[in-house]
Amino acid sequence: MPLLFEEIDSQESSLGEISLRRRRIPAFGDRDIYEVKLGEEFLMSSMFVDAEEALSTLGLAQVQGENLSVVVGGLGLGYTAVAALEDERISELLVVDALETVISWHQKELVPLGKILNADKRNRYVLGSFFDLATDPSTGFDPSSAGKKFDAILLDIDHSPTEYLNPSNAGFYTTENLARMAEQLKPNGVFAMWSQNPPEDNFIELLKTVFESVDSHLVSFDNPFQGGQSTNSVYVCVKR
């Protein structure tokens, strides 16, 4: 009989102890549920991935052209990256994560989507702080090509524009630093970002100081723990 709970890995990181767990809930059948915790805080679960996938589909739907170069900020359990690779126009995908442990889980295929990402030659992992790379356009996201520009940047790291995984991330959400990130987008390039909260008017106004157009989308998904639906949001911005 399969174990109902297993801690697959636990490592110290710059943000504290991060752990990967797998569980089964009998009421949901023979389904492995993968979870990531940072300390005592749940960061993500394979139970709820609709909005992470929508980050890719909604963002890339606004991108024009072929042979796209795309950055994903935040690897997580890999759902945003895998959804992006389903777009056949993508020629390369850089997945940036500050935690070597999280990248290692995928490289070692301890999480289900690691096998998909590792098998796709368009995918490349980049170990580094998304926020540091985003705000240094002279270096940029690609360690092998300084100053490279991209067709889209998809971000899923902080809980929301006002709730941060790391307090130091707060400095990114300014006109100055968003503009530095936008320098790394090609003309008409797209920046899209996930949030666990409904769209925030103040953040939309901030995005409008940098981007030509800004849209927000509410993404609904079933939440059996609450006996109904929950929502996340995705912001989609197009560069001037």
Side-chain angles (χ1 to χ4, degrees):
M1 180 178 177
L3 293 173
L4 294 182
F5 174 82
E6 177 186 9
E7 185 172 84
I8 299 171
D9 188 36
S10 180
Q11 301 284 339
E12 285 298 323
S13 77
S14 58
L15 300 177
E17 184 180 17
I18 188 166
S19 58
L20 173 66
R21 303 132 56 94
R22 177 174 57 217
R23 71 169 66 243
R24 286 195 174 186
I25 300 175
F28 300 152
D30 295 335
R31 173 184 179 183
D32 286 328
I33 300 167
Y34 287 80
E35 303 167 337
V36 177
K37 288 186 69 179
L38 183 61
E40 294 304 312
E41 179 182 10
F42 280 94
L43 290 187
M44 60 201 74
S45 167
S46 63
M47 282 283 294
F48 309 111
V49 301
D50 299 69
E52 284 84 351
E53 293 173 337
L55 172 60
S56 285
T57 54
L58 291 170
L60 294 175
Q62 296 302 311
V63 181
Q64 303 173 8
E66 302 291 331
N67 297 316
L68 305 181
S69 296
V70 176
V71 172
V72 168
L75 175 54
L77 289 171
Y79 286 92
T80 298
V82 168
L85 289 169
E86 291 176 359
D87 191 321
E88 295 181 355
R89 298 176 300 157
I90 289 183
S91 61
E92 65 171 349
L93 183 75
L94 274 61
V95 186
V96 179
D97 203 285
L99 299 180
E100 187 173 7
T101 298
V102 175
I103 292 176
S104 174
W105 291 340
H106 289 76
Q107 290 173 326
K108 295 177 180 177
E109 300 181 1
L110 299 180
V111 292
L113 298 189
K115 187 173 184 178
I116 297 174
L117 292 174
N118 295 339
D120 197 315
K121 294 181 180 179
R122 297 174 296 167
N123 177 65
R124 180 158 36 117
Y125 305 111
V126 176
L127 176 62
S129 164
F130 171 89
F131 300 104
D132 289 346
L133 300 177
T135 54
D136 185 1
S138 64
T139 300
F141 292 107
D142 190 342
S144 65
S145 181
K148 184 173 183 174
K149 295 186 183 295
F150 296 87
D151 296 283
I153 298 172
L154 312 174
L155 176 59
D156 177 6
I157 294 179
D158 287 323
H159 305 304
S160 80
T162 53
E163 299 168 301
Y164 315 115
L165 184 63
N166 185 333
S168 66
N169 297 350
F172 172 70
Y173 302 94
T174 65
T175 294
E176 180 181 8
N177 282 330
L178 287 167
R180 287 176 176 171
M181 179 197 64
E183 287 183 40
Q184 301 186 53
L185 288 170
K186 298 176 184 177
N188 300 314
V190 169
F191 169 60
M193 191 182 107
W194 171 91
S195 171
Q196 70 178 5
N197 295 335
E200 301 179 31
D201 291 340
N202 288 343
F203 185 55
I204 291 172
E205 292 306 310
L206 173 62
L207 291 169
K208 287 180 178 178
T209 66
V210 176
F211 295 97
E212 178 70 20
S213 68
V214 178
D215 291 312
S216 60
H217 304 265
L218 203 60
V219 180
S220 300
F221 52 91
D222 291 330
N223 187 336
F225 296 119
Q226 297 182 0
Q229 288 204 322
S230 293
T231 59
N232 292 161
S233 59
V234 174
Y235 301 91
V236 179
C237 314
V238 181
K239 182 180 177 178
R240 292 189 174 98

